[in-house]
Amino acid sequence: MSIKLLHLCDWHEQLLQMEILNEALQRYAEKHTTPESDLLKKINRDTHANVLMPRMLSGHLQGRVLSMISQMIRPKVVLEIGTYTGYSALCLAEGLAENGKLITIDINEELEEKVKDCFNSYCDKIDYRIGNALDIVPTLNETFDLVFIDADKSNYANYFDLVIDKVREGGFILADNVLWSGKVLDARPDTDTRAIISFNQKIHDDNRVENVLLPIRDGIMMIRKLSL
Ligand SMILES: C[S@@+](CC[C@H](N)C(=O)[O-])C[C@H]1O[C@@H](n2cnc3c(N)ncnc32)[C@H](O)[C@@H]1O
């Protein structure tokens, strides 16, 4: 098995341990949450049937949370780092203001055609970029109302540093997987876990923002940029 595949399997293994709520409560919460649209249901099904590491997809409950947050903010510009199969991008796009747009970046070009198809009905609102977010974010001149960080965990702190000056005062950053299947409590954390632990502490210590760690799914750090 190649080193790359071993790494992917290890990541997959970690994602499989991800639920914080027990399965019955998770099902109950989903049953009492607005259902996914037909398009989201289709992406969810297709990702689980045909794409590697389907647990990376936000899913029904978290997707509705992202949609709800976006609808509360009514953002003019959203940035997403980590498109994968487009599920969370479409959820966040539901709350866009009139004439608003969402920029979403992913390094994986293998999913490009599939994802473009899913964005068809939103193509005037979604700007989908393929490439390394570390290179692309510095080239963006927009001011963001909402940012969703959901890519490689080792770069979460870098993504925060790259976006914070581009977020408007009072704007929001959400970062996914900040409980990392509970591994943030490990006595001997692995590399990705150490990155998440250090990201969480960095955000908590940053006096430019206020933050809430929401224990939804694998943990979402909600960050609001203060007016200084
Ligand atoms: C957890 S998945 C995103 C899931 C998606 N946001 C959702 O909820 O449906 C993480 C994605 O980040 C992408 N990624 C990893 N490193 C990246 C980088 N440096 N730049 C851009 N995307 C990256 C991966 O290719 C993968 O598709």
Side-chain angles (χ1 to χ4, degrees):
M1 197 184 289
S2 72
I3 290 179
K4 194 173 169 194
L5 197 55
L6 268 173
H7 178 68
L8 286 177
C9 291
D10 186 39
W11 198 13
H12 191 208
E13 173 83 5
Q14 293 178 17
L15 285 162
L16 280 176
Q17 303 163 4
M18 204 157 67
E19 303 303 340
I20 292 167
L21 278 183
N22 73 38
E23 223 180 299
L25 275 175
Q26 178 80 15
R27 269 203 306 274
Y28 182 85
E30 285 179 358
K31 211 170 140 198
H32 293 82
T33 295
T34 303
E36 299 162 290
S37 65
D38 288 345
L39 175 59
L40 289 172
K41 230 180 251 165
K42 180 172 166 292
I43 296 172
N44 202 339
R45 251 199 327 261
D46 178 66
T47 303
H48 279 85
N50 302 313
V51 183
L52 202 62
M53 294 189 289
R55 294 295 299 265
M56 294 206 299
L57 176 140
S58 280
H60 174 201
L61 188 64
Q62 179 163 307
R64 290 305 83 209
V65 172
L66 295 175
S67 167
M68 188 73 83
I69 291 172
S70 182
Q71 299 199 52
M72 289 193 275
I73 300 169
R74 282 278 164 214
K76 289 197 231 18
V77 188
V78 178
L79 171 67
E80 176 183 65
I81 304 176
T83 319
Y84 189 46
T85 50
Y87 190 96
S88 51
L90 287 165
C91 295
L92 291 165
E94 289 174 20
L96 281 173
E98 207 178 334
N99 301 320
K101 72 167 174 179
L102 179 145
I103 302 168
T104 182
I105 307 170
D106 204 289
I107 202 165
N108 184 358
E109 62 201 18
E110 283 168 26
L111 293 172
E112 186 174 3
E113 288 315 310
K114 188 189 276 290
V115 174
K116 271 186 179 159
D117 273 355
C118 298
F119 288 164
N120 256 343
S121 49
Y122 272 85
C123 55
D124 55 329
K125 288 185 179 285
I126 297 185
D127 177 356
Y128 174 40
R129 314 262 185 113
I130 295 292
N132 190 334
L134 292 173
D135 301 328
I136 295 177
V137 174
T139 69
L140 302 173
N141 296 317
E142 286 80 356
T143 299
F144 303 116
D145 303 294
L146 174 61
V147 176
F148 183 44
I149 301 176
D150 191 15
D152 48 330
K153 309 308 155 196
S154 54
N155 277 311
Y156 267 34
N158 294 328
Y159 295 136
F160 176 81
D161 289 340
L162 286 176
V163 299
I164 187 67
D165 290 337
K166 296 174 188 276
V167 172
R168 70 161 163 84
E169 289 184 357
F172 295 86
I173 302 171
L174 308 174
D176 198 14
N177 307 108
V178 294
L179 291 176
W180 205 228
S181 307
K183 289 177 166 223
V184 287
L185 299 180
D186 277 3
R188 279 199 296 277
D190 59 27
T191 310
D192 277 343
T193 311
R194 280 203 303 275
I196 293 283
I197 291 171
S198 128
F199 171 78
N200 288 340
Q201 194 60 49
K202 173 185 169 78
I203 299 306
H204 198 57
D205 293 342
D206 192 321
N207 58 16
R208 294 170 296 177
V209 299
E210 62 179 4
N211 58 300
V212 178
L213 200 165
L214 273 188
I216 287 175
R217 196 173 177 249
D218 195 28
I220 301 176
M221 184 67 91
M222 293 187 80
I223 304 161
R224 191 175 81 89
K225 182 168 168 179
L226 299 172
S227 314
L228 294 175

